[in-house]
Amino acid sequence: MGDLFDGIEEQEIEEEKRKAPSSDRPRILVVGMNYIGDTLFTTPLIRALAKHRPNAVIDVLNGVRGTAMLTENPHVASVIPKPARGDKKAMEQLIARLAETRYESAVIASTSFESAWIPYRAKIPVRSGIRSELRSFMLTHAQASKNRHIILRILDALEPLSIPSDGVHMELVLTKAEEKDAISVLSKKRLAKEKFLVVHAGATRRQKRWPVEYFIKLITTFRKSVGAPVVLIGGPEDAMLNTIIAADCKKSIALDLTAAVSLRVLAGVIRNAWAFVGNDSAPLHIASAMNVHTVGLFGQTDPLVYGTLHEGGTIISARQTCPPLKRALCSVTRGCRGAACMDNITVEEVLDALRAIYSWA
């Protein structure tokens, strides 16, 4: 009986610790990434930290572009936006703020010099991260860089602190209002209960984009052969590209959401999709975080590093069509000037992958 009551007492103590004011609890700073997809890659690390240190307050210093991916994350107390590059005054104010907060430790997900320099300047006593870019002297706990998937590389920052991983699945938590808004958008076209396909033709760089004419052929052929509705998505930067696709595909597209909804409502739309197809870009990783069937198209970027890891992910890579030397150079540069390798991914390859997904829909 003594063991039973001891267990109950321990649970009560832990509950009291969680209810304690944040000023009385240890604080940990996660130095995150800048972009949307990269920010999602850090969520397994944040979850592992929270599981290992349930009483700690976890703040995340993150690039502004990716902060929306951490809103409503149950493990994050607050998200601190990084100052704009070159804003020295804002950076000094940030460092002073971090120093005043008195973090007990910083776990650095990014491998950039600046990401280690900030907690070093803020005099956070424990600073754990990956050795890179001549920054080891700023880390109190350093882990050697390993050539593997970026999520696993980020998790390596926990190893010097003897904190175990809690899996590689990414987390993106939406509010009930955001989920409701996504359903409302779909309901206007009677898609809320349909097994629709989301298509995203954009990417940050030309080298990562599958040709627009291939997307047009894919959408029209998919609509005829599979019959499922198609939803076209993209941000303001994809407007010109998607205008061309929509004009050529006409009635093959059931709903065009280009620059029509917020990023988080768009995530809700993707969550309700049966499948997603697109280049290596933020929407692909959002779909992966939402555990949606995905067909990811990879050219310059290595899918072994940036590919989807969830069970429903299919990767089609153009890298295998390049000569070994060119492929090696591509790994350490921005790739070719054009997107020649992406031309080698055929429409039929992508259709076959989608047909396999929809064969049991």
Side-chain angles (χ1 to χ4, degrees), residues 31-204:
V31 184
M33 312 289 262
N34 289 323
Y35 298 104
I36 296 167
D38 292 339
T39 299
L40 285 172
F41 293 151
T42 67
T43 57
L45 176 142
I46 295 168
R47 183 179 60 251
L49 262 177
K51 186 174 182 179
H52 185 75
R53 296 291 304 279
N55 187 45
V57 176
I58 299 174
D59 296 330
V60 181
L61 176 63
N62 207 83
V64 174
R65 293 186 186 183
T67 54
M69 297 296 96
L70 298 174
T71 304
E72 302 300 320
N73 187 303
H75 313 302
V76 177
S78 65
V79 181
I80 305 166
K82 288 182 182 178
R85 186 177 292 275
D87 190 338
K88 295 181 179 179
K89 182 179 179 180
M91 180 60 75
E92 289 303 317
Q93 290 173 341
L94 168 67
I95 291 169
R97 174 186 171 186
L98 297 179
E100 289 172 3
T101 305
R102 297 187 180 277
Y103 290 99
E104 70 161 32
S105 58
V107 180
I108 304 160
S110 172
T111 57
S112 71
F113 184 90
E114 182 185 70
S115 64
W117 178 78
I118 292 172
Y120 173 76
R121 285 282 316 280
K123 298 182 180 179
I124 298 175
V126 175
R127 303 177 298 276
S128 183
I130 306 302
R131 295 191 189 101
S132 64
E133 296 194 19
L134 303 175
R135 66 181 199 162
S136 294
F137 73 95
M138 294 183 288
L139 303 174
T140 61
H141 295 68
Q143 176 67 22
S145 179
K146 299 174 185 176
N147 185 25
R148 51 184 186 162
H149 195 279
I150 187 169
I151 291 177
L152 296 173
R153 290 183 187 180
I154 290 170
L155 286 169
D156 282 341
L158 296 175
E159 192 168 325
L161 302 175
S162 300
I163 298 176
S165 166
D166 187 48
V168 297
H169 59 284
M170 298 181 289
E171 290 183 284
L172 175 52
V173 182
L174 302 179
T175 65
K176 289 183 179 180
E178 289 164 343
E179 291 176 350
K180 185 178 179 180
D181 287 347
I183 293 295
S184 177
V185 168
L186 294 169
S187 296
K188 290 177 182 178
K189 294 291 184 177
R190 299 181 180 179
L191 295 174
K193 296 183 179 180
E194 292 286 336
K195 291 182 170 63
F196 60 90
L197 170 69
V198 170
V199 176
H200 180 243
T204 52

Side-chain angles (χ1 to χ4, degrees), residues 229-244:
V230 175
V231 175
L232 183 66
I233 67 167
E237 67 280 3
D238 302 317
M240 187 177 296
L241 177 69
N242 283 3
T243 297
I244 296 170

Side-chain angles (χ1 to χ4, degrees), residues 249-323:
C249 292
K250 298 177 181 177
K251 293 183 179 180
S252 294
I253 295 174
L255 178 61
D256 184 353
L257 289 180
T258 307
V261 295
S262 71
L263 181 61
R264 289 180 60 81
V265 172
L266 182 62
V269 170
I270 293 172
R271 183 178 188 172
N272 284 278
W274 182 250
F276 172 99
V277 62
N279 305 309
D280 173 24
S281 59
L284 172 65
H285 302 301
I286 289 173
S288 178
M290 294 300 190
N291 206 30
V292 172
H293 299 291
T294 60
V295 178
L297 312 177
F298 285 76
Q300 174 213 339
T301 48
D302 189 348
L304 295 177
V305 177
Y306 298 102
T308 54
L309 293 179
H310 72 298
E311 189 175 344
T314 300
I315 291 169
I316 301 177
S317 176
R319 288 171 62 86
Q320 59 191 4
T321 64
C322 292

